């Protein structure tokens, strides 16, 4: 075991290193590459927050994309410059039409509204024994699409809201990512997280040990939705457009796939799954248009990334059904142990 | 009687026509160790499930500290001071031994959600207190050296003891033990008998236990109830029960049929 002080120091150093690297990337890399790096950050936050609900607490939510949509639209409407707002959304009620919040409060309110939606869906459903949440959240995805399409005055319906200010940059994204990881880590290392894991293991026994099932499940679900809401808002202000189709089933499923591939009940698993499944498809996308490697030209392989991803998913599920990382967690002790082993080997 | 801590009056439970427990009554005086015995399928575990809120009684009343608890949720009943162990072990097998106890100990945690997220001093102190309490309980049950093991990896006997440590962590006044000595050898169950007495004194408990091991029951219990086909067929001191004709028949009848 390493002492706590040292671990804190290492974590701090790692954070500094991360932001130095991001700073350098920001100077050197093209906007296209920076966008990928930012998407990696957002996806990490989304998957880690999804893991709190689905992995640690064991209530299977498919609603993440819906909460992203809620956060994205709320933040977009709140932060839209007044001049633009008057043109794009002239029918907004006065109290909304005359506010223009800066980005941070818009994000937070977006997250909070998403969390409130989670509370409204979750309260009736999570009181029941059994896995009704997956169905309920799937229904929520449908409902939210319909609502967004119908609420023309607020959302411009199917046309979506475009021309959002591109507030989201590397710093917003990665600070959000770090905060999400920190909060989830704090939760799982407290009585709240232990209660959630107990519920996942055996809900009757957890309840018989005094864990209030509804309260803890709702907590996990709402915290997940809060971060999904902010993630959606960041996403919208990176792409600068939101439409009802921005956050549909495929978004939820790709997040669930990332979570399953990395490891559902582990923060590290979320980070690994999200990074891998964001980066690999981007690399594969190059193959789809055809490239030349060392004089050998590879013809365009349309759809190859989908095929490779599906194969990867199948292989991971067969070989490591608990995901690449499983339920283990990164720890600085890993390095110490390795060092210790190599030292032992040197002595031999 | 002011000193009776648990009063059960004519509790009945049907499962779709099957009468699992009928007119079960019990008065537990403070500090007593009471036994509940009977052949397999007699309804003993069902009684525990009724007391702890897993099932709602079809009829009858259950009063803990003079408060009617029939129909309340499990976690509400636990917080009123009645905890249990499970006959067919229900540990959180993928959590460590310590975490199993910590899950139960949180009922008395004194920090809130925001303090936990911000890592405030109240959270750190609260966690330290929880850990100390949990460690003390593991020590009582002789499991402290296994604190960091996954509970699912423990030998059977230790898992049974962990069930008790976990139930104790909720800070109960009434403790219900469902076959705590099942699967233990005579030496282990002898030790367990001692341990149960010790924790009763140390934590000021009132205990109701279900047990097939007659050494444990006769040794430990002040009063015994015998259940057969959901009905109490005898009730009294260990010596009376041992010589009760109906009880012998209930048990011997079964043994004879099995032979
Ligand atoms: N949830 C349930 N649904 C239907 N029937 C049940 C249920 N739980 C128990 N029973 C029935 O109630 C009766 C009493 O079961 P119970 O588990 O209380 O017996 P027991 O005295 O604890 O037996 P053992 O000594 O084997 O543990 C049995 O016939 C059992 O099949
Ligand atoms: Mg039983």
């Amino acid at each position: 075991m390493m002492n706590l002080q040292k671990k804190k120091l290492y974590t701090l150093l790692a954070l500094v290193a991360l932001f130095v690297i991001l700073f350098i990337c920001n100077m050197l890399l093209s906007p296209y590459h920076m966008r990928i790096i930012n998407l990696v950050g957002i996806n990490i936050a989304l998957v880690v927050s999804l893991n709190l609900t689905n992995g640690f607490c064991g209530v299977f939510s498919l609603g993440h994309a819906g909460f992203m949509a809620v956060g994205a639209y709320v933040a977009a409407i709140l932060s839209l410059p007044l001049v633009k707002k008057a043109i794009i959304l002239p029918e907004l009620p006065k109290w909304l039409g005359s506010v223009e919040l800066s980005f941070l409060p818009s994000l937070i309110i977006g997250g909070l509204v998403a969390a409130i939606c989670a509370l409204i869906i979750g309260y009736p459903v999570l009181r029941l024994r059994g896995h009704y949440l997956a169905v309920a959240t799937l229904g929520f995805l449908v409902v939210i699409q319909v609502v967004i399409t119908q609420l023309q005055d607020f959302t411009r319906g199917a046309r979506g809201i475009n021309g959002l200010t591109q507030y989201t940059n590397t710093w917003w994204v990665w600070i959000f990512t770090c905060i999400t990881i920190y909060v989830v880590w704090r939760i799982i290392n407290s009585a709240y997280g232990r209660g959630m894991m107990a519920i996942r293991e055996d809900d009757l026994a957890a309840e018989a040990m005094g864990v209030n099932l509804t309260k803890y499940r709702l907590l996990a679900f709402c915290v997940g939705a809060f971060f999904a809401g902010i993630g959606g808002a960041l996403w919208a202000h990176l792409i600068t457009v939101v439409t009802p189709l921005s956050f549909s089933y495929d978004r939820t499923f790709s997040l669930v796939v990332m979570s399953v591939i990395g490891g559902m009940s582990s923060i590290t698993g979320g980070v690994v799954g999200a990074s891998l499944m964001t980066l690999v498809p981007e690399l594969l996308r190059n193959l789809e248009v055809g490239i030349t490697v060392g004089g050998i030209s590879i013809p365009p392989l349309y759809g190859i990334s989908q095929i490779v991803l599906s194969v990867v998913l199948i292989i991971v599920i067969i070989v490591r059904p608990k995901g690449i990382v499983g339920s283990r967690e990164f720890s600085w002790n890993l390095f110490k142990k390795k060092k210790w082993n190599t030292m032992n080997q040197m002595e031999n | 009687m002011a000193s009776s801590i648990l009063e059960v009056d004519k509790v009945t439970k049907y499962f779709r026509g099957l009468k699992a427990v009928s007119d079960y009554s019990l008065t537990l005086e403070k500090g007593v160790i009471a036994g509940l015995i009977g052949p397999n399928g007699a309804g003993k575990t069902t009684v525990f499930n009724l007391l702890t809120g897993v099932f709602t009684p079809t009829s009858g009343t259950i009063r803990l500290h003079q408060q009617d608890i029939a129909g309340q949720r499990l976690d509400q009943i636990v917080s009123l001071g009645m905890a249990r162990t499970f006959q067919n072990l229900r540990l959180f097998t993928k959590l460590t031994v310590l975490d199993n106890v910590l899950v139960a100990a949180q009922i008395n945690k004194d920090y809130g959600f925001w303090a936990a997220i911000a890592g405030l001093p109240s959270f750190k102190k609260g966690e330290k207190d929880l850990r100390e309490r949990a460690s003390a309980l593991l020590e009582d049950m002789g499991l402290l050296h296994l604190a960091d093991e996954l509970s699912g990896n423990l030998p059977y006997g230790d898992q049974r003891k962990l069930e008790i440590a976990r139930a104790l962590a909720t800070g109960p006044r009434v403790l219900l033990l469902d076959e705590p000595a099942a699967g233990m050898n005579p030496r282990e169950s002898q030790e367990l008998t001692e341990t149960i007495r010790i924790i009763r004194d140390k934590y000021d408990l009132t205990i109701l236990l279900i047990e097939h091991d007659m050494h444990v029951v006769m040794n430990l219990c002040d009063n015994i109830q015998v259940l057969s086909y959901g009905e109490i067929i005898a009730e009294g001191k260990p010596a009376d029960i041992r010589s009760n004709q109906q009880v012998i028949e209930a048990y011997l009848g079964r043994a004879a049929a099995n032979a």
Side-chain angles (χ1 to χ4, degrees):
Chain A
M1 279 284 172
M2 205 179 282
N3 71 42
L4 210 64
Q5 233 58 40
K6 229 177 190 171
K7 280 187 190 172
K8 269 189 188 157
L9 183 69
Y10 285 164
T11 307
L12 207 68
L13 287 178
L15 272 177
V16 171
L18 171 71
F19 279 92
V20 168
I21 291 170
L22 286 173
F23 183 75
I24 295 171
C25 287
N26 225 356
M27 288 195 306
L28 300 181
L29 295 183
S30 68
Y32 165 73
H33 288 113
M34 278 323 287
R35 197 164 109 159
I36 296 175
I37 290 181
N38 290 335
L39 288 183
V40 170
I42 295 180
N43 278 337
I44 289 178
L46 289 169
V47 175
V48 167
S49 60
L50 185 67
N51 276 3
L52 180 72
T53 317
N54 293 17
F56 287 103
C57 194
V59 284
F60 207 82
S61 161
L62 292 172
H64 239 46
F67 298 124
M68 288 173 74
V70 171
Y73 270 95
V74 168
I77 293 169
L78 288 176
S79 69
L80 207 62
L82 286 183
V83 195
K84 249 186 209 167
K85 206 182 270 193
I87 301 167
I88 301 182
L89 298 167
E91 308 291 331
L92 271 186
K94 210 160 164 224
W95 60 276
L96 259 182
S98 56
V99 288
E100 179 192 337
L101 296 184
S102 53
F103 195 38
L104 184 62
S106 308
L107 284 181
I108 294 175
I109 295 175
L112 287 176
V113 175
I116 291 169
C117 290
L119 194 68
I120 295 168
I121 306 162
Y123 187 69
V125 174
L126 291 174
R127 282 161 59 209
L128 310 171
R129 261 184 221 290
H131 298 274
Y132 301 106
L133 192 70
V135 182
T137 48
L138 211 53
F140 170 64
L141 286 184
V142 178
V143 170
I144 204 74
Q145 298 263 328
V146 173
V147 168
I148 289 173
T149 316
Q150 294 303 316
L151 276 183
Q152 299 264 350
D153 293 356
F154 292 83
T155 63
R156 294 214 322 156
R159 288 172 298 171
I161 305 175
N162 51 14
L164 301 179
T165 315
Q166 197 175 42
Y167 287 114
T168 305
N169 59 24
T170 317
W171 312 121
W172 280 106
V173 167
W174 283 89
I175 289 173
F176 167 64
T177 308
C178 292
I179 292 176
T180 309
I181 291 176
Y182 174 78
V183 169
V184 173
W185 174 77
R186 271 287 178 211
I187 292 176
I188 61 175
N189 284 293
S190 73
Y192 296 95
R194 287 192 297 266
M196 291 171 192
M197 288 185 261
I199 292 173
R200 174 195 69 198
E201 293 288 305
D202 185 336
D203 57 354
L204 184 88
E207 198 178 13
M209 294 306 132
V211 177
N212 183 331
L213 297 185
T214 313
K215 186 175 141 193
Y216 277 59
R217 284 182 173 147
L218 264 181
L219 189 66
F221 186 47
C222 291
V223 171
F226 175 76
F227 286 112
I230 295 184
L234 284 173
W235 191 300
H237 289 85
L238 182 68
I239 313 286
T240 71
V241 191
V242 270
T243 72
L245 294 177
S246 308
F247 307 101
S248 55
Y249 302 100
D250 19 342
R251 177 86 58 224
T252 273
F253 283 111
S254 82
L255 290 174
V256 170
V257 166
M258 290 178 191
S259 156
V260 169
I261 283 187
M264 270 173 60
S265 37
S266 151
I267 293 176
T268 318
V271 174
V272 170
S275 310
L276 218 63
M277 299 310 279
T278 313
L279 289 175
V280 173
E282 286 298 334
L283 295 177
L284 291 175
R285 193 168 292 172
N286 292 329
L287 288 180
E288 301 208 351
V289 291
I291 46 165
T292 311
V293 184
I296 306 162
S297 64
I298 301 171
L301 300 166
Y302 299 110
I304 185 77
S305 59
Q306 294 297 317
I307 295 172
V308 172
L309 284 185
S310 315
V311 171
V312 168
L313 178 62
I314 292 168
I315 292 176
V316 169
I317 286 176
I318 293 171
V319 180
R320 294 191 71 96
K322 296 241 166 112
I324 295 171
V325 178
S327 52
R328 286 167 302 172
E329 214 52 274
F330 170 82
S331 147
W332 292 113
N333 288 329
L334 292 175
F335 292 104
K336 191 159 183 203
K337 207 166 145 197
K338 240 181 227 159
K339 209 163 121 198
W340 198 74
N341 281 345
T342 43
M343 261 158 55
N344 263 8
Q345 277 163 8
M346 280 183 336
E347 275 170 27
N348 288 344
Chain B
M1 262 176 284
S3 68
S4 62
I5 194 162
L6 179 68
E7 291 168 33
V8 185
D9 191 35
K10 295 209 177 83
V11 162
T12 298
K13 177 71 188 175
Y14 283 93
F15 291 115
R16 291 203 198 88
L18 168 79
K19 210 175 202 179
V21 171
S22 76
D23 285 342
Y24 175 81
S25 298
L26 167 74
T27 306
L28 267 190
E29 306 298 330
K30 210 161 159 275
V32 154
I33 300 183
L36 182 59
I37 64 173
N40 291 108
K44 306 180 294 295
T45 299
T46 304
V47 167
F48 272 22
N49 285 336
L50 290 165
L51 295 181
T52 54
V54 178
F55 301 140
T56 308
T58 310
S59 65
T61 58
I62 304 170
R63 297 167 77 83
L64 179 67
H65 306 298
Q66 333 292 331
Q67 194 177 339
D68 194 354
I69 59 165
Q72 294 215 36
R73 286 198 319 268
L74 284 90
D75 59 295
Q76 292 173 319
I77 293 175
V78 181
S79 63
L80 290 173
M82 181 155 66
R84 70 176 293 180
T85 64
F86 291 94
Q87 174 181 359
N88 43 356
L89 303 167
R90 298 187 79 138
L91 294 172
F92 310 119
T93 49
K94 296 204 187 76
L95 304 190
T96 64
V97 169
L98 181 66
D99 278 347
N100 265 271
V101 182
L102 283 173
V103 167
Q106 80 200 337
I107 205 165
N108 298 313
K109 76 176 182 324
D110 44 14
Y111 60 81
F113 182 64
W114 300 109
I117 285 190
L120 297 183
S122 67
F123 164 73
K124 287 181 180 148
K125 185 179 170 300
E127 276 291 293
K128 196 167 148 264
D129 292 349
L130 288 182
R131 271 163 210 281
E132 273 167 15
R133 242 169 60 73
S135 302
L137 288 169
L138 286 177
E139 176 130 54
D140 288 334
M141 298 310 298
L143 296 172
L144 190 55
H145 60 293
L146 299 169
D148 295 325
E149 293 285 325
L150 288 189
S151 66
N153 294 346
L154 296 192
Y156 196 71
D158 285 343
Q159 294 201 13
R160 289 230 167 268
K161 290 190 210 156
L162 180 54
E163 279 264 352
I164 299 177
R166 189 175 68 166
L168 283 176
T170 64
R173 309 310 316 279
V174 179
L175 181 63
L176 310 180
L177 302 173
D178 198 343
E179 303 200 14
M184 290 188 176
N185 63 35
R187 196 178 52 82
E188 285 175 317
S189 45
Q190 178 59 38
E191 280 172 16
L192 183 74
T193 310
E194 289 311 312
T195 312
I196 291 176
R197 236 187 232 116
I198 292 169
I199 58 169
R200 190 264 312 258
D201 296 339
K202 183 166 176 186
Y203 297 104
D204 212 1
L205 298 171
T206 304
I207 295 177
L208 175 62
L209 92 140
I210 297 173
E211 186 51 67
H212 283 299
D213 184 330
M214 283 307 134
H215 287 292
V216 175
V217 177
M218 296 296 163
N219 235 319
L220 212 48
C221 297
D222 304 304
N223 297 300
I224 297 173
Q225 288 180 319
V226 187
L227 216 56
S228 179
Y229 296 107
E231 288 182 41
I232 300 176
I233 56 167
E235 190 161 9
K237 303 271 171 231
D240 306 334
I241 297 299
R242 220 187 309 238
S243 55
N244 184 304
Q245 197 54 39
Q246 250 186 311
V247 177
I248 294 168
E249 267 166 33
Y251 271 96
L252 285 188
R254 182 174 59 105
N258 286 350

